Amino acid sequence: MTSRELILGRIRAALGDTAEVAEQPLPRGYRSTHVAPDDPAALVDLLHRNLADYRALVHRCSAAELPGRVAELLAERGSRTVAVPDGLPASWLSAAGDVELLPDGGGLTAARLDAVDSVVTGCALAIAETGTIVLDAGPGQGRRLLSLVPDHHICVVRVPEQVVASVPLALPRLDPARPQTWISGPSATSDIELDRVEGVHGPRTLEVLLMSPDVTGA
């Protein structure tokens, strides 16, 4: 008997009647969230606090105000070139002025993106409890390269519809077959002495725009 056969034999013996084991449902007694998932305003406030705690720069605006806010953030940064993923709403950058927009259909190289000042994307959803933004390469989000190479990332979150309370509530809304990027604040790492360094493996600056729908009929 080989070592492999011996190990597999012990596993079979330990499992016993595998058919009986397979019929037993897995326990799901854990909490799915620690906050009320049916209070959108509270979830957005919690997301704001946790994003800021991770040193992301968080801004709030309405859909009508968004183009102006994006233009302001790019101007404050001094950005002259902006990477634009496929499917990003054109209106989001309609007030950007003389900024050069670089559409990415998969052709922007890492070297070219390294020279780009900023990137603007949307997201798949945001998780309030962890202050996490999830991108899945859907329309307006682009390739993972876009959110890793440029030093300045502006990400738009539609609130409240893209905000979920927790990771367990986020997973059913995500397609596991899609390439997901989970972002909690700007890129950061620290050495054994806990000296924090930002921008090593992602954007040094993450700015999040929490975009609420326009109020009509007021």
Side-chain angles (χ1 to χ4, degrees):
M1 178 179 293
T2 65
S3 298
R4 178 178 182 276
E5 292 169 337
L6 178 62
I7 293 172
L8 291 177
R10 289 178 177 176
I11 293 174
R12 293 189 190 96
L15 288 175
D17 188 348
T18 55
E20 181 180 345
V21 172
E23 292 174 0
Q24 299 298 320
L26 293 175
R28 304 290 186 184
Y30 52 79
R31 290 184 179 181
S32 62
T33 178
H34 294 83
V35 297
D38 55 353
D39 188 344
L43 289 182
V44 174
D45 288 341
L46 179 61
L47 174 66
H48 188 151
R49 292 195 301 272
N50 285 333
L51 284 168
D53 191 50
Y54 275 118
R55 302 193 187 185
L57 304 177
V58 187
H59 317 274
R60 298 200 190 198
C61 66
S62 67
E65 295 168 335
L66 181 71
R69 293 296 290 128
V70 171
E72 289 174 8
L73 297 180
L74 294 174
E76 291 170 2
R77 178 81 179 185
S79 298
R80 306 305 303 166
T81 54
V82 179
V84 182
D86 280 346
L88 190 82
S91 62
W92 290 7
L93 289 164
S94 60
D98 296 332
V99 173
E100 181 184 3
L101 304 182
L102 303 174
D104 177 59
L108 293 177
T109 65
R112 183 68 183 95
L113 286 170
D114 191 43
V116 167
D117 295 319
S118 302
V119 60
V120 178
T121 76
C123 69
L125 53 78
I127 303 171
E129 284 186 353
T130 60
T132 302
I133 295 171
V134 183
L135 281 67
D136 67 359
Q141 300 170 55
R143 300 174 294 153
R144 182 175 289 132
L145 203 64
L146 289 181
S147 61
L148 293 180
V149 178
D151 204 45
H152 179 225
H153 181 188
I154 297 175
C155 185
V156 178
V157 181
R158 292 183 172 92
V159 301
E161 64 266 28
Q162 286 189 316
V163 181
V164 297
S166 64
V167 171
L169 295 181
L171 292 177
R173 291 181 53 173
L174 295 168
D175 182 351
R178 297 191 66 82
Q180 298 174 15
T181 302
W182 293 51
I183 302 171
S184 296
S187 166
T189 188
S190 59
D191 59 19
I192 195 171
E193 296 180 353
L194 300 183
D195 292 326
R196 180 182 173 98
V197 179
E198 296 180 349
V200 175
H201 44 68
R204 195 184 315 272
T205 304
L206 172 65
E207 302 209 54
V208 180
L209 281 162
L210 303 178
M211 180 183 71
S212 58
D214 295 323
V215 178
T216 58

